[in-house]
Amino acid sequence: MHRRRFLGWLGVAGLLGAVPSVVLARPKLSLERSADIQPLELSEAQWRERLSEERYRILREAETEPAGSSPLNHETRAGEYRCAGCDLPLFSSRTKFDSGTGWPSFFDHIEGHLLTELDLVMLIPRTEYHCARCGGHQGHVFEDGPEPTGLRWCNNGLALRFVPA
């Protein structure tokens, strides 16, 4: 069992026994895969061949890159941010903003291109999101972003590939 999943189950057990249910609140997102997106399933060996070791750890094992380490933090050109695992467009540069967190952040996403799940690894409920095509871990979404959505899609830079317009 992956260390991250094991820690998640420990977190679930701790939360269920010690945390009031009001703490389990998370952004209310109803995300569904677009009908035109066919899931991409590759073997572990195929993913390792396709991705660098750093990208593999983030996209396939849900690790997090160090804050401030991504050149995409400073990217200001018009274009698309695509999944580094399968090239599915996830965000438009029009929705990018400087959150001050050290990770590329967006206030909205391309509809139908992201899926979410509950993450309890840090014992605090968070909403984790993934690429709708390849399932690659991208980051977490929080309710402290700018208008018009009030959301902050906080993404690992290595999980993205920028394509200028």
Side-chain angles (χ1 to χ4, degrees):
M1 180 183 296
H2 284 68
R3 182 183 110 258
R4 187 173 195 287
R5 294 289 177 224
F6 175 73
L7 291 173
W9 283 111
L10 284 178
V12 169
L15 281 171
L16 292 177
V19 179
S21 61
V22 70
V23 176
L24 294 175
R26 60 187 183 130
K28 294 188 178 27
L29 302 168
S30 62
L31 302 181
E32 294 183 16
R33 179 182 291 117
S34 289
D36 61 332
I37 296 176
Q38 295 300 313
L40 172 65
E41 296 181 21
L42 300 176
S43 69
E44 181 179 343
Q46 290 170 312
W47 280 118
R48 287 192 180 279
E49 185 176 312
R50 179 182 275 225
L51 303 170
S52 69
E53 184 58 35
E54 295 86 7
R55 281 191 161 147
Y56 182 87
R57 284 195 310 266
I58 290 168
L59 288 163
R60 307 314 308 164
E61 297 178 341
E63 295 292 326
T64 301
E65 68 192 7
S69 65
S70 176
L72 294 181
N73 287 333
H74 309 291
E75 182 59 66
T76 58
R77 295 175 290 171
E80 288 182 330
Y81 291 85
R82 297 179 176 194
C83 175
C86 69
D87 208 38
L88 182 68
L90 303 178
F91 301 100
S92 164
S93 61
R94 293 185 304 277
T95 65
K96 186 173 186 274
F97 71 100
D98 183 1
S99 66
T101 61
W103 289 280
S105 297
F106 306 85
F107 63 80
D108 208 355
H109 66 289
I110 297 175
E111 192 72 31
H113 290 203
L114 294 173
L115 302 175
T116 62
E117 68 180 46
L118 180 62
D119 173 8
L120 295 168
V121 169
M122 296 181 66
L123 303 180
I124 298 169
R126 301 183 300 170
T127 301
E128 182 175 310
Y129 62 94
H130 305 265
C131 172
R133 179 186 289 150
C134 72
H137 168 76
Q138 296 293 320
H140 293 84
V141 61
F142 303 95
E143 292 181 306
D144 61 0
E147 294 300 324
T149 65
L151 297 176
R152 172 173 51 97
W153 297 84
C154 187
N155 218 97
N156 285 289
L158 283 171
L160 296 171
R161 184 174 76 82
F162 179 70
V163 178

